[in-house]
């Protein structure tokens, strides 16, 4: 592709830039047997679920789900539908809620985690554990969408709590 012109005293001469092509680092070594998919949602911990729901539904005009309690995860969830993904509003449910601890440290709430779909959650977990990525539980649990999920330790993911969800 032409990326510019070299000006000489007589005429403009096109400059061509070669496209760089990356090559796999370990040629001949098979890649993982699972694939990372699309961003499913961004989860936001909120101290006032009604207020947050109203913001997205009434002020911003988004399509918002009903509140769903997930006692096994210690949260109430509300999903906000966006064109290409969702927001998950999280509010504590019960005394052992992980969201309660998050909100004690972050009084105004804030981004809690991202959720990325995978095509084979069991293969992903085995592969990631082999690569020394810690998980927050030994086995996948059923998440808010009724599918298996696994959380990856934020210290192993550049400070971000990552949820993997079976696509």
């Amino acid at each position: 592709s032409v990326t510019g012109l070299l000006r000489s005293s007589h005429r403009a001469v096109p400059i061509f830039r070669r496209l760089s092509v990356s090559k796999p680092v370990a040629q001949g070594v098979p890649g993982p047997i699972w694939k990372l998919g699309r961003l499913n949602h961004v989860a936001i911990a909120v101290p006032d679920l009604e207020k947050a729901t109203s913001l997205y539904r009434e002020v911003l005009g988004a399509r918002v789900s009903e509140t769903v309690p997930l006692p096994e995860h210690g949260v109430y969830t509300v999903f906000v539908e966006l064109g290409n993904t969702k927001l998950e509003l999280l509010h504590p449910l019960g005394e052992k809620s992980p969201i309660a601890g998050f909100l004690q440290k972050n009084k105004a709430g804030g981004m809690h985690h991202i959720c990325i779909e995978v095509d084979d959650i069991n293969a992903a977990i085995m592969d990631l554990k082999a690569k020394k990525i810690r998980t927050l539980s030994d086995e996948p649990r059923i998440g808010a969408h009724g599918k298996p999920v696994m959380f990856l330790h934020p210290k192993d993911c550049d400070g971000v709590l990552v949820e993997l969800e079976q696509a």
Side-chain angles (χ1 to χ4, degrees), residues 90-167:
L90 298 171
H91 187 72
L93 170 62
E95 294 174 14
K96 295 183 180 178
S97 171
I99 300 304
F102 181 89
L103 289 172
Q104 283 176 351
K105 296 176 195 161
N106 305 276
K107 302 287 185 209
M111 198 203 77
H112 185 262
H113 68 268
I114 62 170
C115 177
I116 304 171
E117 295 176 359
V118 293
D119 65 349
D120 184 339
I121 195 161
N122 293 317
I125 292 166
M126 280 183 19
D127 184 49
L128 292 169
K129 283 183 176 181
K131 293 175 178 172
K132 307 293 185 216
I133 302 295
R134 291 171 286 176
T135 58
L136 298 190
S137 61
D138 292 330
E139 297 292 325
R141 296 169 34 189
I142 299 303
H145 297 113
K147 297 177 180 182
V149 299
M150 176 61 80
F151 285 89
L152 306 180
H153 201 295
K155 288 185 179 174
D156 297 338
C157 300
D158 297 315
V160 176
L161 179 59
V162 176
E163 178 184 20
L164 299 180
E165 179 178 278
Q166 178 67 48

Side-chain angles (χ1 to χ4, degrees), residues 20 26 63 68 79 84-85 90 92 104 115 131 161:
S20 67
R63 205 169 77 217
V68 176
F79 281 94
N84 58 350
T85 192
L90 298 171
Q104 283 176 351
C115 177
K131 293 175 178 172
L161 179 59

Side-chain angles (χ1 to χ4, degrees), residues 27-99:
Q27 293 180 355
V29 177
I33 54 174
W34 61 277
K35 287 193 168 78
L36 208 54
R38 71 180 194 92
L39 175 68
N40 184 283
H41 65 266
V42 174
I44 302 169
V46 298
D48 185 335
L49 191 56
E50 268 185 47
K51 181 180 172 190
T53 300
S54 177
L55 168 69
Y56 289 100
R57 179 183 289 136
E58 311 304 328
V59 177
L60 298 175
R63 205 169 77 217
V64 177
S65 75
E66 295 301 315
T67 300
V68 176
L70 296 174
E72 63 279 10
H73 291 276
V75 295
Y76 290 102
T77 64
V78 170
F79 281 94
V80 179
E81 294 289 333
L82 303 175
N84 58 350
T85 192
K86 297 180 281 294
L87 299 178
E88 180 185 34
L89 305 180
L90 298 171
H91 187 72
L93 170 62
E95 294 174 14
K96 295 183 180 178
S97 171
I99 300 304

